[in-house]
Amino acid sequence: ALSQTPSISSISSEGREDLQVNQLETQIWIKPDIRKTDVDFSEILNAIQEIAKDVNIFFDELEGVNSPSKDDDSLLHHGNLTSTSDDASRLEVVGEEVPDKNKTNGLYFRDGKCRIDYILVYRKSNPQTEKREVFERNIRAEGLQMEKESSVTNSDIIFVKLHAPWEVLGKYAELMNVRMPFRRKIYYLHRRYKFMNRIEKQISRFRGWLPRKPMKLDKETLPDLEENDCYTAPFSQQRIHHFIIHNKDTFFNNATRSRIVHHILQRVKYEEGKNKIGLNRLLSNGSYEAAFPLHEGSYRSKNSIKTHGAENHRHLLYECWASWGVWYKYQPLDLVRRYFGEKIGLYFAWLGWYTGMLFPAAFIGLFVFLYGVSTLNHCQVSKEVCQATDIIMCPICDKYCPFMRLSDSCIYAKVTHLFDNGATVFFAVFMAVWATVFLEFWKRRRAVIAYDWDLIDWEEEEEEIRPQFEAKYSKKERMNPISGKPEPYQAFADKCSRLIVSASGIFFMICVVIAAVFGIVIYRVVTVSTFAAFKWALIRNNSQVATTGTAVCINFCIIMLLNVVTSETLIIFFTEQPRTESEWENSFTLKMFLFQFVNLNSSTFYIAFFLGRFTGHPGAYLRLINRWRLEECHPSGCLIDLCMQMGIIMVLKQTWNNFMELGYPLIQNWWTRRKLRQEYGTQRKISFPQWEKDYNLQPMNAYGLFDEYLEMILQFGFTTIFVAAFPLAPLLALLNNIIEIRLDAYKFVTQWRRPLASRAKDIGIWYGILEGIGILSVITNAFVIAVTSDFIPRLVYAYKYGPCAGQGEAGQKCMVGYVNASLSVFLVSDFENRSEPTSNGSEFSGSPLKYCRYRDYRDPPHAPAPYGYTLQFWHVLAARLAFIIVFEHLVFCIKHLISYLIPDLPKDLRDRMRREKYLIQEMMYEAELERLQKERKERKKNGKSYHNEWP
């Protein structure tokens, strides 16, 4: 933990401590007594630094000409640290002892003082030697220090260790506007009324009887993250005395140091030419094999964290975040942000917020399900279905499907009631409002996080042009309006043509998905007849359920196959050539999401809105390619098929994703360790340095957090779009996310190399996708309730045709006779030849059946217009359309009202921001005033004063 903040005077004196200039292996110390003179040392120091930089560049050029190659084997020894830095002597400090631990833990240079900020990896056999030499000379010219070492396991692999001295960190921190702490925050209490104080006292007494916040993390194990308790300002070397600097080696944390070094590497040239610059291009052309910052040691320890404390931040994250024993606790987001950066921290903040918001949705969904269980014995419709032993239903497929009693579907009718009951409409409205509340409150939560993490005023830097864009359009150039420099230019006609090709490619891929769904439809049509003639009685009697179950499993396999085979490769191929990396990521994200969303939900849309809707009626069935009769719904309805589809797909996909996220890296890392043990013995792995251990870990996904976000966004869609048909979806999502948080945490801490800490203000394009899913969910749930479920037909019967018609009631007593009213009569002799069943139904009454029943609102066969639609059909259709319009408009009005009433920025946060801005201005003014007053006193003591001094 960091100590308390010193006073203004102590900060000012520390800011004027000894300055060290390390250039040309010369040490220039400026003591406090020298500063009493009137010489402007800032100009002298700047001049010395410029001269030293020029001389360094000159020496580096001579070294490149006269010295042997840096990749020469004579400079490297297998498993030994080999320094190529010329600044080793400059790092010696008189009287300072270097701990032996620093020399052996693999986090420092050979001298044990210079911490490794970044690692570059290349192979000596790689032919790009000249580019690496120029690149490394320019790295040293920028002031970075360097050491090289060959790999313990493979002498062809070379590790380049980079360290940024204080002068380089300060220079680039000022250029990058890195915000650093300069004064502890002053917290103040709002004025409260006596009534509110009394209420708070009563609440505090009540809380005394409750457990002591078991979900809170133990603050004793967490370090005091000073930047969260301090006011911050962009770092400035001229105002260095304003900042809280206890130790220059730890003033910039490891994530910030790595980010600064990466910023330098992205702007260093490796070859002559205006665009031959940056580490990313060297990684893309194979000059370097990998580049990554180091983890802060091992994540395991022999000692308990409660008795001995955490050995490093990685160990602390593992114990307090990635361990399964803390699954019920809040995430240490500030520590995650400090170790992995704001972009990854925001992802886990959003995931934690989404998981927390799922609790009320899961509770209400479980309540709806339990309500269906409790009212099951009182449901008049399921009672009538179970007691309808005298109602014979027509076959659901050609020839092999037999006649069946309606009472045989008793179990399916009861299961349908569990999901389709009186609370379903309420739950659909609730989930539509929940999605809006979730997004609106996330904006508020993001604003608080952005304030705490100093992201309010942060703006992204001008991004570099993608190498692919540069290579494609290097012939045409125009001036960049921001930088004023010429850059490659893509003509409008070319952009439009590529956009058309890209859209055509995505349309083609969606057609492939639709073709796969068409194949599933044919499978269902063919298989239901096959299962109906199966030898096993269990499958023969449940042919439709068996067909649905196997079709869902095959559909899941097709979904995974299309994701692996076609998605990433074709999406990249069909993505146009954006100018910057962020534009490419947004384009790739949108196209990939569209494909994955259609791939995952297309079969669900078919079952929800098309299954059993266009089948015709007995004697005049509609057929596919004039051959296969379209599949009908079960006598108890189509909702049971939709529930099975959603439940199986959701469980299988989440299980598969969790395995691929954690199981695949675990297997790869285990295989790597196994090969090392076979080659070097079981004890050899202990002596591996940290950079070797991290190199053997799996690199982070090439698309960053894309896969993590995509998985959760698709789950959000599954949870909201068809939630009216499957109220347990939020509960399954909640259980999965509790596991997902710890899986992702374990993966980031233990299985992946440490990603570069990067900044971001929000979750990017994903927020717009979430809003689109929220709007789509209102429409789909309206159609599911109106079309898929029997809610509207029951409502129409209760108010218009039932025993309570005209009385304004719709209880269970009003549903008497609903089942018989919802079934039409068919004359068996009117069957088509290819549809006529093999049995005549004599097993039911001892004589051949004359009539059978089917689900529809049609006239009987002896009516003037046989099998025509009845008036009840048109009443139901009108009620369905009216319900869709009213439901959508009502929910959309509620959503917009909530969005309007909930401000994006909390009022207390707005007040805190204004007060902080005011206090920062006052503090900066007071510190500057105090410094000038002290300088004036020192001049007076020396007998030197000036007229018209201020103040």
Side-chain angles (χ1 to χ4, degrees), residues 168-235:
V168 176
L169 292 173
K171 172 185 174 183
Y172 280 95
E174 186 172 359
L175 292 175
M176 297 169 62
N177 291 321
V178 177
R179 301 182 68 91
M180 301 304 295
F182 74 92
R183 184 70 59 87
R184 283 192 178 273
K185 291 182 179 179
I186 302 173
Y187 296 98
Y188 67 98
L189 297 177
H190 294 281
R191 182 180 178 182
R192 297 190 180 274
Y193 298 98
K194 293 182 179 180
F195 176 73
M196 295 300 297
N197 289 333
R198 291 176 183 174
I199 293 179
E200 289 183 355
K201 288 181 181 179
Q202 296 297 328
I203 293 175
S204 62
R205 288 179 182 177
F206 175 73
R207 287 178 177 174
W209 298 91
L210 299 177
R212 295 291 182 179
K213 296 181 179 181
M215 299 176 70
K216 291 282 187 179
L217 290 166
D218 186 6
K219 292 185 178 180
E220 296 180 358
T221 61
L222 291 175
D224 182 15
L225 303 179
E226 182 169 295
E227 54 263 40
N228 291 338
D229 295 329
C230 295
Y231 295 116
T232 60
F235 183 77

Side-chain angles (χ1 to χ4, degrees), residues 63-227:
E63 183 183 1
V65 175
N66 300 325
S67 64
S69 171
K70 293 294 181 296
D71 298 340
D72 196 344
D73 291 341
S74 61
L75 296 178
L76 296 169
H77 300 282
H78 184 74
N80 294 331
L81 292 171
T82 305
S83 176
T84 62
S85 174
D86 298 329
D87 301 329
S89 61
R90 296 180 234 155
L91 301 171
E92 300 296 335
V93 180
V94 179
E96 183 180 350
E97 295 183 0
V98 179
D100 294 336
K101 184 180 179 180
N102 289 358
K103 298 182 179 181
T104 58
N105 61 7
L107 300 176
Y108 290 83
F109 276 17
R110 180 179 58 184
D111 55 12
K113 301 175 186 176
C114 299
R115 188 176 186 89
I116 300 174
D117 297 321
Y118 212 81
I119 292 290
L120 302 177
V121 185
Y122 69 88
R123 293 182 180 270
K124 289 192 295 183
S125 58
N126 190 284
Q128 307 284 351
T129 303
E130 185 177 353
K131 294 180 181 179
R132 284 196 303 271
E133 289 181 7
V134 176
F135 186 71
E136 291 171 6
R137 286 202 304 271
N138 291 331
I139 288 176
R140 292 194 298 275
E142 290 290 337
L144 297 181
Q145 297 170 7
M146 184 187 306
E147 277 188 354
K148 289 186 180 181
E149 181 180 356
S150 60
S151 172
V152 176
T153 60
N154 188 350
S155 60
D156 187 45
I157 299 177
I158 307 299
F159 295 95
V160 181
K161 298 170 285 183
L162 301 177
H163 168 76
W166 169 259
E167 293 79 11
V168 176
L169 292 173
K171 172 185 174 183
Y172 280 95
E174 186 172 359
L175 292 175
M176 297 169 62
N177 291 321
V178 177
R179 301 182 68 91
M180 301 304 295
F182 74 92
R183 184 70 59 87
R184 283 192 178 273
K185 291 182 179 179
I186 302 173
Y187 296 98
Y188 67 98
L189 297 177
H190 294 281
R191 182 180 178 182
R192 297 190 180 274
Y193 298 98
K194 293 182 179 180
F195 176 73
M196 295 300 297
N197 289 333
R198 291 176 183 174
I199 293 179
E200 289 183 355
K201 288 181 181 179
Q202 296 297 328
I203 293 175
S204 62
R205 288 179 182 177
F206 175 73
R207 287 178 177 174
W209 298 91
L210 299 177
R212 295 291 182 179
K213 296 181 179 181
M215 299 176 70
K216 291 282 187 179
L217 290 166
D218 186 6
K219 292 185 178 180
E220 296 180 358
T221 61
L222 291 175
D224 182 15
L225 303 179
E226 182 169 295
E227 54 263 40

Side-chain angles (χ1 to χ4, degrees), residues 23-24 47-61 141:
Q23 296 292 346
L24 301 174
I48 292 174
Q49 290 174 353
E50 292 296 329
I51 296 172
K53 182 176 178 180
D54 295 339
V55 177
N56 268 340
I57 295 174
F58 176 73
F59 284 168
D60 287 331
E61 291 177 354

